């Protein structure tokens, strides 16, 4: 059940307030949060988030200390995806509740621009988690590295569906695949790919960059 | 808090010094403070005169070029694992260089305040930094660093004070003679006699039970206490004292003294419960002890035949290996080894003279040329030598030269016997060209100096490094004086010699990739002698000739003399002296490792530190070559 506006928790209200601040127009001053989720599966409705990794990117810099990494307790669990991300439902990591994870995430996100590979999926999963806890959807501007990558290629080489795996980006940018399939590891790879894509696109402003990304058009769940 | 990113950073850093010297927990903590920075191609990290950042940088991916003040010349290119921008932070000053990415680059920025504690705590970290600053300031002889850099700075493993013998492992006989407990004394004594050994190991089911020595037979059989038909079991010393096979000489001596025994049994794991691998006698220890310079020199002097010198030369090689492993300063190492080599050559000359039917008709001197003349020959390499004899009347010249040629043939053959390869270019005293009278050499060198072509320059570069190994001093100094006087008269010769020194381009300009051989047997190997050592050696020769300094033929001593003569260039000359020593140590180590001359280096086998050291010498080479170019106006003749 969605909470009434006045019943929304303080952390949500703070988040909403920060969103209103917006982001500077100059790319090098803007704050991006590169995010990746590991989930029990690919179904937005029935699957759950097991971990979220995120890092903050400003002026081409990432501070190791500011990396965000949470592991969530979930009752839904799909043994098949364990093979991919290696996260067991009761793994050794410190697990927190979904709502506690959402609070931490919103505090970390603030008014940043969210960047993810197939951002619709990660944001969609987060939105579902927010909804289960009575909260509204994320309000940050979003960028999809799959789409931006497609745009960075010469026209003749672009794919019409804009679908590229993160592995394809690793190969294109010669990024080593260490830590692939951990949330923060994938977020890091995405961040490095994002920086190299920016270098190719050379957008004049944040607004122009956001325009290049119409992600919903391309995101179709597998 | 530790996370995947900081773990990744730590994982990268741990492969590179100085971070490789940190403990795992320290590195994890430090990695959490790292900022990862992406730089597109040609973007600045910092510029000259900018005030120092709060952090220094490590290249994770890509490459960063360090430019000089005017941004006209690249001084260094840092690639994966290289540190830059640290010195200004330590010295509290502004950047002296500009750092700009050469390609897309990812940097790890490490806050200095988080790193400083490790510099104070960890000597190896501090040593590394001193070393790497030296590569920026080019002067490892800076007073404050003095002493730390003379040897290899990564020597804390063993400490400096350990006496030389402490680390020398014993050599023992691996052919063990053994018998069972039931063997009779008579049989054992017969076997000991036929094998010429002083002790027999008594084994049971393959494990050492006891030892039976000459002394046991004397004390227990000859005294009549036991019959000659007694079993080994009755008179052997048991249990045996066992040690692991990796025993140093000192440890072995101590063990023997402690138990008052003359034989140690070495077993696989050092206990009586493993198989014996060798027996070590007091005699073996005495022999190992003999591998010290003073004993070796004595032994060389006592030899009566050339064949006896050969094994002593092996002792010299063992000594050299030990010195290098212990990072004894190169100056000392080469002095000792050269002295021993000299002693060998002197002895060879003496023995050869004894073989001649007549006494030498006139005074003569035996000269070592090339690397041997410069006292820079540590490994066995080719023999380059010459014979100089006093002037005789024209009518007697042929007979005199024939006498000395005959002598030279005996000497070169003997040198070959003890391990010096014949010179493929036949620069040996057995060649009439290199067996000449004083005035003959004077004529020859005058010709070189007055009309220097490429051949003359090459010949001078080998001959002018001569050093007297045996014979008449006055003859040699007369020749030197002649050479210096002639050079002074024809200074253009120096320009040609300098041009010759510049023909081997320094390996710089290939910062990221060493200039490797393009084809032939050593394809893809780095030619350390041609690319790095020779340019320094050649430059030193020109400089010292130009300053009219006789009697110094060793390259680093030449540079040290130059530093004394030209205080304003002191820094560069000392850097050259240091680089020469570092390269020679490098070559010798490689040579010992691969059992060759050490000339060609397989770059893949080098670690980061070694590559850094090599790279640093390249900068020095480039600078000294620039000095030559300007000072001797080489462009005039090119």
């Amino acid at each position: 059940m969605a909470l009434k506006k006045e019943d929304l928790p303080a952390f949500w209200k703070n988040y909403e307030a920060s969103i209103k601040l917006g982001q500077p127009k100059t790319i090098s001053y803007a704050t991006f949060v590169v995010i990746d989720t590991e989930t029990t599966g690919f179904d937005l409705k029935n699957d759950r988030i097991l971990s979220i990794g995120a890092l903050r990117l400003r002026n081409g810099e990432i501070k190791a200390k500011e990396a965000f990494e949470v592991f969530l307790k979930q009752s839904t669990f799909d043994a098949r995806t364990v093979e991919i991300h290696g996260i067991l439902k009761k793994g050794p990591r410190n697990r927190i509740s979904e709502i506690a994870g959402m609070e931490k995430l919103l505090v970390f996100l603030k008014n940043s621009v969210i960047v993810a590979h197939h951002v619709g999926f990660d944001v969609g999963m987060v939105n579902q988690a927010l909804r289960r806890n009575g909260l509204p959807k994320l309000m940050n501007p979003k960028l999809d590295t799959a789409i931006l990558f497609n745009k960075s290629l010469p026209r003749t080489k672009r794919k019409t569906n804009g679908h590229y795996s993160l592995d394809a980006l690793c190969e294109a940018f010669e990024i080593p695949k260490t830590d692939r399939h951990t949330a923060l590891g994938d977020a890091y790879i995405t961040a490095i790919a994002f920086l190299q894509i920016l270098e190719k696109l050379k957008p004049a402003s944040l607004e122009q960059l956001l325009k290049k990304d119409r992600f919903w058009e391309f995101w179709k769940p597998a | 808090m530790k996370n995947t990113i900081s773990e990744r950073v730590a994982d990268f850093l741990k492969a590179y010094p100085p971070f490789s010297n940190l403990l795992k927990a320290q590195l994890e903590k430090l990695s959490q403070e790292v900022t990862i920075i992406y730089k597109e191609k040609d973007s600045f990290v910092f510029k000259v005169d900018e005030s120092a950042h709060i952090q220094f940088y490590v290249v994770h991916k890509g490459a960063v070029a360090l430019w000089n003040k005017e941004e006209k010349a690249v001084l260094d290119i840092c690639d994966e694992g290289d540190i830059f921008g640290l010195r200004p932070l330590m010295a509290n000053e502004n950047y002296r260089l500009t750092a700009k990415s050469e390609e897309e680059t990812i940097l790890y920025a490490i806050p200095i305040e988080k790193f400083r504690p490790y510099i104070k705590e960890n000597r190896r970290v501090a040593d590394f930094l001193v070393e790497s600053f030296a590569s920026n300031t080019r002067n490892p002889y800076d007073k404050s660093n003095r002493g730390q850099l003379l040897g290899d700075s990564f020597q804390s493993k063993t400490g400096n004070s350990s006496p030389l013998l402490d680390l020398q492992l014993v050599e023992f006989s691996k052919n063990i003679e053994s018998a069972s407990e039931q063997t009779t004394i008579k049989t054992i004594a017969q076997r000991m006699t036929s094998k010429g050994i002083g002790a027999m190991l008594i084994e049971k089911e393959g494990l050492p039970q006891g030892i039976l020595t000459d002394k046991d037979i004397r004390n227990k059989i000859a005294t009549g206490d036991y019959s000659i038909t007694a079993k080994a079991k009755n008179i052997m010393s048991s249990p045996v004292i066992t040690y692991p096979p990796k025993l140093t000489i000192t440890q072995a001596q101590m063990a023997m003294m402690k138990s008052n025994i003359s034989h140690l049994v070495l077993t696989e794991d050092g206990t009586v419960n493993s198989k014996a691998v060798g027996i070590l006698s007091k005699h073996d220890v005495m022999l190992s002890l003999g591998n010290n310079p003073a004993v070796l020199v004595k032994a060389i002097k006592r030899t009566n035949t050339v064949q006896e010198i050969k094994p002593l030369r092996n002792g010299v090689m063992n000594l050299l290996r030990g010195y290098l492993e212990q990072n004894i300063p190169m100056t000392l190492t080469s002095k000792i080894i050269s002295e021993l080599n000299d002693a060998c050559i002197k002895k060879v000359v003496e023995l050869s003279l004894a073989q001649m039917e007549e006494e030498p008709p006139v005074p003569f001197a035996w000269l070592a040329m090339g690397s041997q003349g410069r006292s820079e020959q540590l490994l066995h390499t080719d023999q380059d030598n010459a014979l100089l004899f006093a002037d005789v009347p024209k009518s007697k010249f042929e007979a005199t030269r024939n006498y000395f040629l005959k002598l030279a043939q005996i000497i070169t053959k003997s040198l070959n016997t003890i391990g010096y390869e014949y010179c493929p270019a036949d620069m040996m005293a057995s060649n009439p060209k290199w067996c000449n009278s004083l005035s003959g050499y004077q004529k020859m060198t005058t010709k070189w100096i007055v009309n220097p072509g490429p051949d003359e320059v090459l010949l001078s570069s080998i001959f002018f490094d001569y050093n007297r190994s045996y014979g008449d001093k006055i003859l040699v100094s007369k020749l030197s004086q002649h050479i210096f006087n002639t050079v002074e008269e024809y200074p253009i010769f120096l320009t040609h010699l300098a041009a010759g020194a510049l023909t081997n381009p320094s390996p710089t300009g290939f910062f990221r990739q060493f200039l490797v051989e393009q084809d032939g047997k050593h394809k893809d190997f780095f030619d350390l002698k041609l690319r790095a050592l020779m340019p320094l050696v050649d430059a030193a020769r020109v400089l010292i000739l130009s300053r009219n300094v006789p009697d110094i033929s060793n390259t680093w001593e030449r540079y040290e003399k130059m530093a004394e003569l030209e205080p304003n260039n002191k820094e560069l000359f000392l850097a050259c002296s240091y680089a020469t020593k570092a390269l020679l140590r490098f070559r010798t180590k490689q040579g010992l490792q691969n059992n060759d001359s050490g000339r060609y280096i397989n770059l893949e086998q080098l670690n980061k530190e070694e590559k850094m050291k090599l790279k640093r010498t390249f900068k020095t080479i480039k600078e000294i070559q620039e000095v030559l170019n300007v000072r001797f106006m080489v462009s005039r003749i090119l």
Side-chain angles (χ1 to χ4, degrees):
Chain A
M1 282 305 274
L3 296 169
K4 283 183 200 155
K5 200 170 178 180
E6 55 272 28
D7 295 336
L8 288 168
F11 71 79
W12 180 268
K13 285 178 183 154
N14 289 340
Y15 166 71
E16 216 177 326
S18 73
I19 288 287
K20 288 196 179 112
L21 295 173
Q23 275 292 328
K25 288 199 168 65
T26 315
I27 300 266
S28 58
Y29 295 145
T31 304
F32 299 92
V33 166
V34 188
I35 185 169
D36 184 66
T37 56
E38 296 299 326
T39 59
T40 56
F42 298 112
D43 188 310
L44 288 176
K45 280 250 156 56
N46 297 319
D47 281 308
R48 296 288 185 268
I49 300 174
L50 291 170
S51 74
I52 306 172
L55 43 88
R56 209 171 271 149
L57 191 67
R58 196 185 292 116
N59 194 21
E61 297 187 10
I62 301 162
K63 288 194 168 23
K65 210 171 22 182
E66 289 183 9
F68 175 89
E69 198 167 34
V70 292
F71 295 85
L72 305 181
K73 284 181 213 156
Q74 296 292 2
S75 47
T76 313
F77 184 69
D78 185 342
R80 284 169 302 167
T81 55
V82 170
E83 283 170 29
I84 297 175
H85 48 62
I87 302 173
L88 294 169
K89 204 166 59 162
K90 282 180 185 161
R93 301 261 187 179
N94 283 335
R95 305 194 159 273
I96 57 175
S97 68
E98 194 171 71
I99 181 66
M102 290 304 117
E103 176 176 350
K104 278 181 186 282
L105 180 64
L106 292 178
V107 168
F108 188 77
L109 280 175
K110 293 200 187 71
N111 59 338
S112 62
V113 178
I114 295 179
V115 179
H117 197 69
H118 301 313
V119 71
F121 175 72
D122 296 292
V123 168
M125 287 303 289
V126 171
N127 282 340
Q128 288 295 327
L130 289 169
R131 210 170 86 129
R132 275 192 294 280
N133 293 286
L135 297 170
K137 289 182 180 177
L138 290 177
M139 301 157 87
N140 308 64
K142 297 174 273 290
L143 288 170
D144 187 335
T145 43
I147 294 166
L148 292 175
F149 176 64
N150 200 31
K151 291 262 166 78
S152 75
L153 298 174
R155 254 169 217 289
T156 48
K157 292 199 173 163
R158 289 184 198 167
K159 287 188 186 174
T160 45
N161 68 355
H163 204 100
Y164 296 90
S165 67
L166 190 52
D167 285 324
L169 264 66
C170 284
E171 270 147 40
F173 293 121
E174 292 171 18
I175 305 170
K177 294 180 194 170
T178 344
D179 304 323
R180 184 85 176 81
H181 298 301
T182 68
L184 191 51
D186 279 358
Y188 179 78
I189 290 169
T190 309
I192 297 299
F194 175 63
L195 287 166
Q196 302 195 52
I197 292 167
L198 276 188
E199 166 63 11
K200 287 197 167 160
L201 292 175
K202 291 198 195 304
S205 66
L206 183 60
E207 207 179 359
Q208 211 186 76
L209 177 64
L210 288 166
K211 263 189 199 161
K212 288 191 190 284
D213 185 303
R214 287 162 297 147
F215 57 92
W216 287 112
E217 250 172 69
F218 293 112
W219 168 247
K220 292 185 187 75
Chain B
M1 219 181 70
K2 166 173 126 174
N3 60 49
T4 312
I5 302 292
S6 68
E7 278 168 16
R8 179 194 287 254
V9 170
D11 213 46
F12 173 80
L13 290 180
K14 76 170 184 225
Y16 298 98
F19 310 105
S20 49
N21 296 320
L22 296 180
L23 299 174
K24 193 165 177 275
Q26 293 176 323
L27 190 57
E28 275 172 6
K29 209 172 145 211
L30 185 67
S31 298
Q32 287 161 34
E33 306 297 336
V34 165
T35 300
I36 300 152
I37 300 176
Y38 173 84
K39 289 281 174 193
E40 59 201 51
K41 188 174 184 297
D42 291 328
S43 53
F44 291 99
V45 184
F46 50 76
K47 290 186 186 179
V48 166
D49 291 333
E50 196 176 309
S51 56
H53 298 173
I54 56 160
Q55 57 207 14
F56 64 97
Y57 302 91
V58 181
V59 180
H60 174 222
K61 288 220 155 308
V64 170
L66 301 177
W67 295 77
N68 68 359
K69 207 171 166 96
E70 297 78 24
E71 280 184 45
K72 274 185 188 143
V74 173
L75 297 179
D76 198 1
I77 291 198
C78 304
D79 57 13
E80 281 182 31
D82 284 335
I83 292 182
F84 65 96
L86 176 55
R87 211 187 53 87
L89 275 62
M90 299 297 294
N92 250 331
E93 54 186 35
N94 292 351
Y95 291 112
R96 285 191 188 167
L97 303 171
T98 291
K100 198 163 116 186
S101 56
E102 277 280 293
E103 49 192 75
E104 276 189 322
T105 297
I106 297 173
L107 300 173
Y108 288 168
I110 301 175
I112 184 64
E113 284 319 314
K114 304 288 177 188
F115 186 65
R116 216 186 280 275
Y118 302 118
I119 307 175
K120 287 191 183 137
E121 278 167 28
N122 192 323
R123 207 187 76 107
R124 287 165 69 96
V125 171
D127 278 354
F128 176 83
L129 296 180
V130 170
E131 183 89 13
S132 67
F133 292 163
S135 70
N136 293 335
T137 59
R138 205 190 49 196
N139 186 5
Y141 278 80
D142 192 325
K143 275 197 188 76
S144 58
N145 303 333
R146 210 172 175 132
Q148 283 172 290
L149 291 170
L150 279 171
D152 205 322
S153 63
F154 304 96
Q155 58 182 203
S156 47
K157 247 186 285 170
T158 54
N160 305 338
S161 57
S162 27
L164 298 187
L165 289 169
D166 233 341
L167 290 168
Q168 208 172 321
L169 294 179
V170 289
E171 282 184 27
F172 54 86
S173 149
K174 283 165 189 123
N175 296 326
I176 311 169
E177 287 299 322
S178 67
S180 81
E181 290 180 319
Q182 298 309 317
T183 317
T184 63
I185 301 303
K186 189 180 172 189
T187 313
I188 288 175
Q190 281 167 346
R191 278 182 58 198
M192 283 168 66
T193 306
S194 73
K195 300 277 177 191
I197 52 173
M200 175 78 76
L201 182 69
I202 310 300
E203 286 186 319
K204 187 178 169 186
E205 288 159 12
L207 295 177
Q209 290 301 309
I211 195 161
L212 211 158
T213 66
D214 281 343
K215 203 173 160 191
D216 292 319
I217 296 176
R218 186 176 73 223
N219 289 349
K220 295 169 189 167
I221 308 293
T223 53
D225 290 352
Y226 287 88
S227 140
I228 194 164
T229 54
K231 304 273 193 280
K233 193 179 172 146
N234 302 124
I235 70 161
M236 70 183 185
S237 306
S238 179
V240 284
I241 311 286
T242 55
Y243 279 88
K246 285 221 159 145
L247 199 63
T248 68
I249 295 173
T250 315
Q251 283 171 323
Q253 271 187 308
M254 299 284 284
M256 287 179 182
M257 262 159 44
K258 205 169 90 188
S259 315
N260 193 21
I261 47 173
S262 58
H263 291 79
L264 297 179
V265 176
L266 307 177
T267 62
E268 275 167 0
D269 68 0
T271 74
V272 289
N273 300 318
S274 62
K275 227 168 116 18
V277 292
I279 291 186
L280 182 73
S281 69
K282 230 175 206 168
H283 182 68
D284 293 329
V285 173
M286 293 314 286
L287 277 187
S288 300
L289 272 171
N291 276 347
N292 94 35
V295 176
L296 278 169
V297 167
K298 249 188 220 159
I300 292 167
K301 282 189 179 158
R302 269 203 309 260
T303 52
N304 293 315
T305 64
V306 170
Q307 275 70 26
E308 288 171 55
I309 303 178
K310 205 178 171 182
L312 294 171
R313 295 258 325 146
N314 291 337
V316 174
M317 283 299 122
N318 281 336
L319 195 66
L320 174 59
R321 192 171 285 126
Y323 284 179
L324 289 171
E325 274 166 15
Q326 293 160 77
N327 288 312
I328 305 291
M330 205 59 200
T331 326
L332 186 62
T333 303
S334 87
K335 220 165 223 157
I336 293 172
I337 301 299
S338 298
E339 205 109 304
L340 285 167
N341 283 342
D342 238 40
C344 288
I345 294 173
K346 267 202 183 89
K347 189 70 201 184
V348 165
V349 176
E350 277 170 18
L351 290 171
S352 306
L353 273 172
Q355 283 184 47
M356 298 292 287
E357 281 157 18
E358 294 161 46
E359 293 285 305
V362 287
F364 77 101
W366 183 263
L367 304 177
M369 300 194 286
S371 62
Q372 217 182 85
R374 294 191 302 270
S375 307
E376 289 161 21
Q377 187 186 60
L378 299 182
L379 300 163
H380 295 213
T381 49
D382 300 342
Q383 37 174 312
D384 294 317
N385 43 47
L387 196 148
L388 163 68
F389 56 89
D391 284 329
V392 290
K394 215 172 182 180
S395 57
K396 284 191 178 168
F397 181 80
E398 272 314 303
T400 312
R401 181 189 261 185
N402 284 339
Y403 173 90
F404 285 115
L405 275 174
K406 199 177 157 201
L407 174 65
Q409 273 160 11
I410 300 173
I411 296 174
T412 51
K413 192 165 173 253
S414 306
L415 285 174
N416 186 260
T417 308
I418 67 167
Y420 291 98
E421 295 292 316
Y422 288 121
C423 170
D426 203 18
M427 285 188 91
M428 294 187 290
S430 50
N431 176 348
K433 198 175 172 186
W434 303 106
C435 181
N436 213 334
S437 65
L438 177 61
S439 56
Y441 279 116
Q442 285 172 337
K443 246 183 245 159
M444 182 173 77
T445 50
T446 306
K447 212 180 117 207
W448 293 345
I449 295 166
V450 176
N451 299 303
D455 289 345
E456 286 74 19
V457 166
L458 183 68
L459 288 171
S460 328
S461 70
I462 300 170
F463 185 70
F464 287 6
D465 291 339
Y466 63 71
N467 192 17
R468 184 183 65 100
S469 338
Y470 184 94
D472 196 277
K473 261 187 205 167
I474 300 160
L475 269 180
V476 181
S477 60
K478 273 185 183 159
L479 179 57
S480 301
Q481 210 43 58
H482 168 78
I483 291 173
F484 279 102
N485 292 344
T486 317
V487 168
E488 213 166 6
E489 259 178 84
Y490 298 91
I492 185 73
F493 172 73
L494 290 173
T495 305
H496 285 270
L497 203 57
L502 297 178
T503 47
N504 295 323
S506 79
T508 41
F510 301 87
F511 283 115
R512 292 202 69 192
Q513 267 152 356
F514 285 81
L515 188 53
V516 293
E517 301 313 301
Q518 294 304 314
D519 41 43
K521 193 174 145 202
H522 299 285
K523 193 173 180 299
D524 295 330
F525 278 66
F526 178 72
D527 187 340
L528 186 76
K529 181 183 170 190
L530 185 72
R531 305 267 181 223
L533 263 170
M534 288 322 286
L536 282 167
V537 169
D538 288 343
R541 182 183 311 112
V542 184
L543 289 164
I544 212 79
L545 268 174
S546 76
R547 301 297 307 221
N548 226 329
V549 181
D551 297 334
I552 303 180
S553 51
N554 177 274
T555 301
W556 59 79
E557 285 173 9
R558 282 175 169 172
Y559 280 122
E560 277 159 24
K561 185 73 188 172
M562 287 306 294
E564 200 182 300
L565 293 172
E566 296 179 18
N568 52 332
N569 286 322
K570 190 177 165 194
E571 202 190 1
L572 174 61
F573 289 138
L574 289 181
C576 287
S577 162
Y578 177 78
T580 312
K581 283 187 257 186
L583 287 166
L584 188 61
R585 173 191 291 274
F586 208 84
R587 179 178 177 188
T588 311
K589 265 191 173 171
Q590 290 281 325
L592 284 173
Q593 248 168 43
N594 306 325
N595 225 348
D596 57 18
S597 71
R599 173 170 178 173
Y600 296 97
I601 307 287
N602 183 355
L603 293 169
E604 282 171 18
Q605 283 175 5
L606 302 187
N607 62 33
K608 186 85 202 165
E609 250 161 58
E610 291 169 325
K611 278 187 191 160
M612 193 187 85
K613 283 189 176 182
L614 265 187
K615 268 201 214 169
R616 189 176 69 217
T617 64
F618 296 170
K619 271 182 249 172
T620 309
I621 294 168
K622 196 180 177 194
E623 289 186 29
I624 195 72
Q625 290 196 329
E626 276 163 14
V627 167
L628 285 197
N629 207 344
V630 173
R631 183 173 295 189
F632 299 102
M633 292 174 285
V634 173
S635 51
R636 255 195 340 195
I637 59 159
L638 291 179

